[in-house]
Amino acid sequence: MKVDGRHIRTIAPGADGWSVDIIDQTKLPHVFEIKNLRTLDQACHAIRDMLVRGAPLIGATAAYGLCLAVREAPGDEAIDAACKKLSATRPTAVNLNWALASMRAALRGVEPRRRAALAYRHAAELCDEDVAVNRAIGAAGAALIADAGRGRKGDAVNVLTHCNAGWLATVDWGTALSPVYAAHDTGVDVHVWVDETRPRNQGAALTAWELSRHGVPHTVIADNTGGHLMQRDRVDLCIVGTDRTAANGDVCNKIGTYLKALAARDNRVPFYVALPSSTLDAALADGGQAPIEERDAGEVTHVTGVDPGGEVRSVRVTPEQSAAANYAFDVTPARLVTGLITERGVVEAKRESLRAAFPEKYSAEKYAGQ
């Protein structure tokens, strides 16, 4: 995608060829800033404190974080320790451990002196693969948006999304927003309802920023508005992302997704999930087994914004004595999902359909007992 007319990816090697450049998403939408990562600890901080976020981008950052570690210490014990450290940063997104497993497999049996160059090459391949997958998801999902708009006279297709599953959550293109970009770029009149997505406001801050930069019409709404809009036939379809999808099609995504799926079912609005296969966890029998990240309560008790003087500030919005809970994800049962938009087309949210589409994910070892 482009920022101020310049094509940019969310993660890429730095000018020196070995450090790693990321977009500091904690500064958006008020400041666009590239941050340079030079150590394993900096990569872990970027993932844990959400300078980068979104399942595919977390995986890509973990891969490059391991590159930084291997460059300093290429031995087996050091690699094991680095993987353990990276794995502990965010528990819910399956891409993190998927990327680390892929990196370790690529390095296995390779002489230590050759590992750093190979690690950087493999991380770049994982990033290129992510771009190709998301572009394919865009093509498959754009057809759904075009179908929803067929026969209309002057009315835009209204898509509701939750959190940020655009290019900022991936290496490029995005997952849930990739169909929107693809449809928009081919002339489909599409409008996006953007959930603000409390408590971190990834919709209001990131999705709205992305869409405005790309020229896609959109409106930011409070999280509780979606059901009201669906009741009044102002939502044609919902498209959200996923951080982990279980073998049976249950979807683990940003907190609040489940409530949107319930409202969509009650109002007969199609509810789609954009699923890159890297987020499919065939070892997880159902969503009830997914680890749910609990983050710092300060994300609930405080909000960040720009004051009249242009300064970015954080302010408390709750009584100081009040406790706060911050569950980062919830699980949407497969029965509420109309379809999974994948790089191999739209697939039913059922174990059998997923297994047919992605047999390599359902090895005998993974599938045993499910």
Side-chain angles (χ1 to χ4, degrees), residues 95-327:
N95 294 63
L96 194 159
N97 287 312
W98 169 84
L100 292 176
S102 181
M103 292 290 290
R104 292 178 84 159
L107 296 174
R108 191 172 296 122
V110 176
E111 295 177 69
R113 65 184 178 85
R114 296 179 51 236
R115 283 178 171 172
L118 179 58
Y120 278 95
R121 187 161 62 249
H122 191 63
E125 290 170 355
L126 291 179
C127 288
D128 289 343
E129 180 184 332
D130 180 70
V131 176
V133 163
N134 293 329
R135 186 183 290 114
I137 287 173
L144 298 173
I145 295 174
D147 285 345
R150 209 158 266 129
R152 289 177 178 273
K153 294 181 179 179
D155 292 333
V157 180
N158 286 296
V159 178
L160 185 142
T161 192
H162 188 67
C163 194
N164 172 258
W167 72 270
L168 286 171
T170 67
V171 178
D172 207 346
W173 280 94
T175 57
L177 289 188
S178 186
V180 170
Y181 291 132
H184 172 81
D185 290 351
T186 55
V188 176
D189 186 7
V190 57
H191 167 268
V192 183
W193 295 111
V194 180
D195 281 354
E196 60 183 345
T197 321
R198 283 279 291 152
R200 291 189 63 93
N201 293 320
Q202 296 101 320
L206 304 179
T207 297
W209 182 82
E210 275 193 41
L211 293 171
S212 64
R213 291 298 175 116
H214 201 76
V216 178
H218 63 281
T219 305
V220 178
I221 56 174
D223 285 346
N224 293 328
T225 307
H228 167 78
L229 293 171
M230 292 181 208
Q231 285 180 327
R232 280 154 178 75
D233 296 323
R234 299 189 66 188
V235 178
D236 295 298
L237 67 163
C238 302
I239 308 179
V240 302
T242 174
D243 287 78
R244 185 185 296 241
T245 299
N248 71 337
D250 289 349
V251 173
C252 188
N253 194 51
K254 183 57 60 181
I255 194 77
T257 302
Y258 173 48
L259 297 180
K260 292 301 183 300
L262 287 171
R265 172 57 60 91
D266 191 52
N267 291 280
R268 297 178 295 282
V269 174
F271 187 90
Y272 291 99
V273 176
L275 168 69
S277 60
S278 58
T279 60
L280 175 58
D281 185 359
L284 196 73
D286 57 62
Q289 299 180 4
I292 301 297
E293 179 181 3
E294 295 184 47
R295 295 185 58 79
D296 189 280
E299 294 178 354
V300 175
T301 61
H302 291 68
V303 294
T304 300
V306 176
D307 69 16
E311 293 293 321
V312 177
R313 298 185 184 277
S314 180
V315 297
R316 175 182 282 274
V317 294
T318 62
E320 193 166 355
Q321 301 82 1
S322 296
N326 186 10
Y327 299 96

Side-chain angles (χ1 to χ4, degrees), residues 11-63:
I11 188 167
D16 54 20
W18 64 266
S19 62
V20 182
D21 286 342
I22 62 168
I23 300 170
D24 184 349
Q25 298 189 31
T26 64
K27 302 290 182 64
L28 292 173
H30 313 298
V31 178
F32 179 78
E33 181 178 301
I34 300 294
K35 190 172 183 66
N36 184 251
L37 307 179
R38 306 178 73 83
T39 67
L40 169 65
D41 285 344
Q42 288 176 345
C44 289
H45 164 72
I47 298 171
R48 183 176 51 250
D49 290 2
M50 296 180 70
L51 280 69
V52 296
R53 23 74 50 212
L57 182 55
I58 287 171
T61 307

